[in-house]
Amino acid sequence: MQLTGAQIVLECLKEQKVDTVFGYPGGTILNIYDELYKQHDDFLHIRTSHEQGAAHAADGYARSTGKVGVCMATSGPGSTNLVTGIATAYMDSVPMVAITCNVNLPLLGKDSFQEVDIAGITMPITKHGYIVKDVKDLASTIRKAFKIARTGRPGPVLVDITKDVTAKTCDYRKETIADEKPEKKYTSDDINAAIKMIKASKRPFIYVGGGAVISGASAELKKFAELVDSPVCDTLMGKGAFDGTDKKYTGMIGMHGTKTSNFGVSECDLLITLGARFSDRVTGNTKTFASKAKILQIDIDAAEINKNVRANFSIVGDLKMVLADINKKLEKIDKLDHSEWLKKIYENKKKYPLSYETDKLTCPYIIEELDKLTDGKAIISTDVGQHQMWAAQYYKFRYPRTFLTSGGLGTMGYGLGACIGAKAGNKDKLCVNIAGDGCFRMNMNELATASKYNLPIIEIVINNNVLGMVRQWQTLFYEQHYSETIFEDKVDYCKVAEGLGCMAIKVTKKSEVSAALKKAIKANCPVVIDCHIEEDDKVFPMVPAGASISEAFDAGDLKNKK
């Protein structure tokens, strides 16, 4: 049948079972929005307050559901406003398709009004980018974009369409999109080699990254940890892949990881790396990282093998599939026993617990109360900074796809949009964003989006009147030179929230936290809880930049050193 380009875009979204789109209209994308008007029963379109919010919402939708997130924007500043969100998704391997429209084909390359080369701009931060200049290529391009976004190591794909293509017509034939199974590139010899390393180990340690969440490998990971009889740590992106309440779990690894994880990895003789890329925030000094261990790395992306840390052996493949194959063979051998190693790990867990000051209102206390009230079943998004680390440390993530945070890019202002996207994709789940006051200022306009669509999300603002993480560095490493990190203004976040159509609750002491959270959870509307904490609270443990993770220190160490 003959359809316009705009109609083809929407038909292709239906093929991909897209039910939710986040975007903002403008001149060059008007034809697509006109079709959305006619087909509004087929899609939930959420118009965010800013295009960056649309990209973050598509990202949060994708991370929490496992589906491809979709965002739309017009040409020029509309498309460039997506860039930070696209880069965030790229760094954290989030499947997303960003659809933009550009000026008419004859106007391309002439510095026309609101014309930018968005495909060129986003080339380094997308898995692939397309410019569609012929309506006959439109359907096949969109189908390829979705396939690229979701297969292998996921990531964002850009489809830029000239406006005249959305108006022209051509023949369209519907296609059924079949489910795709990951390609198996490894052999039984690879599995046997991995098992040989595992059997030879006396002190194994499992290090879990975001790939375990993406591949849906939680069940296989749990079984693997039991078969190997090994402690388990995770990265910021790996949260929830392994149950945070399991006895074998030792906490996060890296710059703000637990001493148990950091010291354990430094002492292990085999580091089993599952879907993790050895980020600098994890490894610290790579020359001393896991220096006593052989390294077994399993990852879907061959480019990550030996990129930051050299592995003794590696398997390239989908983690869920690889672990399933390893588990089958491990079940047939004598049970592995690392009880002595685990005994030492458990002793370290008691010796080096996470701790905070209990005589005042703190972010860790707020997060622990949230964890108790939600039983770890909420979807938690965060922005970036101290609150992000506290959330990772003190909320016991029991399930995958429940922690949404900007790990690779470290995007301030990410969390609120992501929370909106998560709620749109998970209407039956409680969705909470935890933000610092600095991050909240970046995209607090998205509260208007939450109130417009009556999305009952909870926004917890950790308000210390400073840029907390930057101030922490200034205190520890920059002789307390608090250059531009103190908010000396009169902003009232409760009034801002109410002005944008949300309920607001102010919390200034510990006794108010539980009641505020319960009230917000019961409210059938978006709620902002403005929590006032002291400006000099710090995240511990901490590893100085470039130091070995075995040099992790906490407040007690600082006090003893002084």
Side-chain angles (χ1 to χ4, degrees):
M1 55 181 163
Q2 289 283 315
L3 296 180
T4 65
Q7 291 170 327
I8 289 170
V9 169
L10 298 195
E11 290 304 315
C12 287
L13 294 185
K14 292 175 191 174
E15 287 179 359
Q16 304 292 335
K17 298 182 173 61
V18 172
D19 53 20
T20 307
V21 177
F22 307 89
Y24 203 98
T28 62
I29 203 169
L30 272 177
N31 290 328
I32 291 176
Y33 272 86
D34 193 53
E35 280 304 316
L36 275 171
Y37 178 86
K38 298 171 186 174
Q39 301 187 39
H40 63 272
D41 289 339
D42 296 323
F43 300 95
L44 169 63
H45 179 277
I46 293 181
R47 188 198 66 224
T48 53
S49 298
H50 189 283
E51 290 90 353
Q52 186 180 131
H56 293 327
D59 176 303
Y61 175 94
R63 293 195 207 214
S64 61
T65 64
K67 303 174 184 178
V68 178
V70 178
C71 57
M72 291 181 176
T74 194
S75 63
S79 58
T80 57
N81 282 343
L82 294 176
V83 170
T84 298
I86 292 171
T88 301
Y90 180 75
M91 290 291 283
D92 291 342
S93 304
V94 178
M96 178 195 294
V97 171
I99 297 173
T100 58
C101 285
N102 218 318
V103 298
N104 288 328
L105 184 59
L107 297 176
L108 277 183
K110 297 182 179 179
D111 293 332
S112 303
F113 177 68
Q114 291 194 331
E115 179 203 356
V116 295
D117 178 11
I118 192 62
I121 289 169
T122 58
M123 186 179 294
I125 54 168
T126 52
K127 278 188 75 178
H128 202 77
Y130 295 96
I131 305 175
V132 183
K133 301 177 181 179
D134 188 331
V135 69
K136 294 175 183 176
D137 299 327
L138 184 55
S140 62
T141 300
I142 293 174
R143 290 165 186 150
K144 285 186 284 187
F146 274 86
K147 183 174 182 179
I148 291 169
R150 67 173 174 261
T151 55
R153 180 178 180 172
V157 178
L158 178 95
V159 180
D160 191 35
I161 311 165
T162 60
K163 183 176 183 179
D164 45 0
V165 165
T166 65
K168 290 180 179 178
T169 61
C170 76
D171 189 54
Y172 163 79
R173 293 179 183 175
K174 182 178 179 179
E175 289 190 6
T176 301
I177 308 301
D179 292 333
E180 298 154 331
K181 291 185 177 181
E183 186 179 352
K184 193 171 183 176
K185 296 181 180 180
Y186 58 91
T187 66
S188 58
D189 288 342
D190 293 327
I191 300 297
N192 291 334
I195 290 174
K196 185 178 179 180
M197 292 180 74
I198 293 168
K199 287 174 66 177
S201 171
K202 303 294 184 186
R203 303 186 308 277
F205 215 117
I206 298 171
Y207 153 44
V208 179
V213 175
I214 294 167
S215 68
S218 291
E220 290 77 9
L221 173 59
K222 179 177 174 59
K223 190 172 186 179
F224 178 70
E226 291 170 353
L227 291 168
V228 178
D229 200 32
S230 168
V232 180
C233 67
D234 57 19
T235 67
L236 190 68
M237 302 309 301
K239 288 284 166 189
F242 191 78
D243 186 348
T245 64
D246 193 288
K247 187 178 180 182
K248 286 185 169 66
Y249 179 66
T250 61
M252 189 167 64
I253 184 177
M255 181 172 282
H256 293 291
T258 64
K259 285 187 173 183
T260 304
S261 293
N262 285 346
F263 294 171
V265 167
S266 299
E267 292 296 321
C268 73
D269 66 0
L270 176 66
L271 185 62
I272 305 169
T273 306
L274 306 178
R277 60 185 180 87
F278 297 103
S279 161
D280 59 295
R281 286 296 171 110
V282 166
T283 64
N285 186 342
T286 54
K287 293 179 180 178
T288 58
F289 179 74
S291 58
K292 298 178 182 179
K294 289 186 177 180
I295 293 177
L296 168 61
Q297 185 177 5
I298 303 172
D299 201 282
I300 199 167
D301 187 356
E304 291 298 341
I305 307 297
N306 298 324
K307 186 176 83 173
N308 295 327
V309 171
R310 182 157 290 279
N312 295 86
F313 187 73
S314 60
I315 298 176
V316 176
D318 177 77
L319 186 60
K320 182 181 177 73
M321 186 184 291
V322 175
L323 286 182
D325 286 343
I326 291 176
N327 288 343
K328 287 176 187 176
K329 295 202 172 185
L330 283 176
E331 287 177 311
K332 296 177 181 178
I333 66 174
D334 293 338
K335 182 174 173 59
L336 298 173
D337 181 6
H338 299 117
S339 53
E340 285 300 310
W341 171 234
L342 282 169
K343 182 181 177 182
K344 182 179 180 181
I345 294 298
Y346 296 152
E347 287 172 352
N348 279 350
K349 284 178 75 172
K350 291 180 180 178
K351 185 178 180 181
Y352 305 118
L354 291 170
S355 63
Y356 60 89
E357 294 182 55
T358 57
D359 60 347
K360 62 181 183 180
L361 178 61
T362 64
C363 184
Y365 176 77
I366 295 164
I367 291 168
E368 284 190 333
E369 286 297 298
L370 179 65
D371 182 65
K372 289 176 190 174
L373 289 171
T374 61
D375 194 28
K377 294 177 181 177
I379 296 176
I380 305 295
S381 61
T382 76
D383 282 282
V384 173
Q386 288 180 316
H387 66 278
Q388 177 190 33
M389 297 297 107
W390 281 319
Q393 290 174 337
Y394 289 96
Y395 196 90
K396 295 179 177 65
F397 293 95
R398 298 157 175 81
Y399 312 100
R401 300 197 180 280
T402 56
F403 187 47
L404 320 177
T405 195
S406 175
L409 195 64
T411 305
M412 293 177 70
Y414 164 81
L416 180 52
C419 192
I420 288 169
K423 189 62 182 178
N426 302 269
K427 295 178 177 60
D428 60 332
K429 292 185 179 180
L430 178 66
C431 296
V432 182
N433 183 50
I434 303 169
D437 47 344
C439 292
F440 183 51
R441 289 164 176 255
M442 294 275 182
N443 277 334
M444 61 187 177
N445 53 345
E446 294 306 336
L447 289 178
T449 306
S451 64
K452 171 179 168 55
Y453 295 95
N454 195 31
L455 297 170
I457 62 171
I458 300 173
E459 171 83 4
I460 299 175
V461 180
I462 305 302
N463 187 351
N464 56 4
N465 287 297
V466 295
L467 293 175
M469 186 62 87
V470 185
R471 181 185 176 88
Q472 178 167 329
W473 278 66
Q474 288 172 332
T475 301
L476 296 173
F477 308 116
Y478 288 86
E479 300 178 338
Q480 300 181 27
H481 296 164
Y482 300 125
S483 176
E484 299 302 325
T485 51
I486 301 171
F487 295 135
E488 295 175 329
D489 55 31
K490 300 176 182 178
V491 177
D492 184 327
Y493 297 126
C494 287
K495 289 182 179 178
V496 170
E498 290 170 347
L500 291 171
C502 303
M503 180 189 293
I505 306 170
K506 188 174 183 178
V507 170
T508 59
K509 47 191 175 183
K510 287 177 69 175
S511 60
E512 298 170 339
V513 172
S514 181
L517 290 171
K518 288 176 181 177
K519 183 177 181 180
I521 290 169
K522 289 180 180 178
N524 189 32
C525 66
V527 181
V528 173
I529 307 177
D530 181 18
C531 301
H532 291 251
I533 69 168
E534 291 186 4
E535 63 184 12
D536 277 319
D537 285 358
K538 294 179 177 60
V539 178
F540 291 117
M542 183 177 186
V543 178
S548 301
I549 61 170
S550 59
E551 297 176 47
F553 66 90
D554 56 24
D557 297 321
L558 274 182
K559 187 176 180 180
N560 292 334
K561 187 177 180 181
K562 287 179 181 178

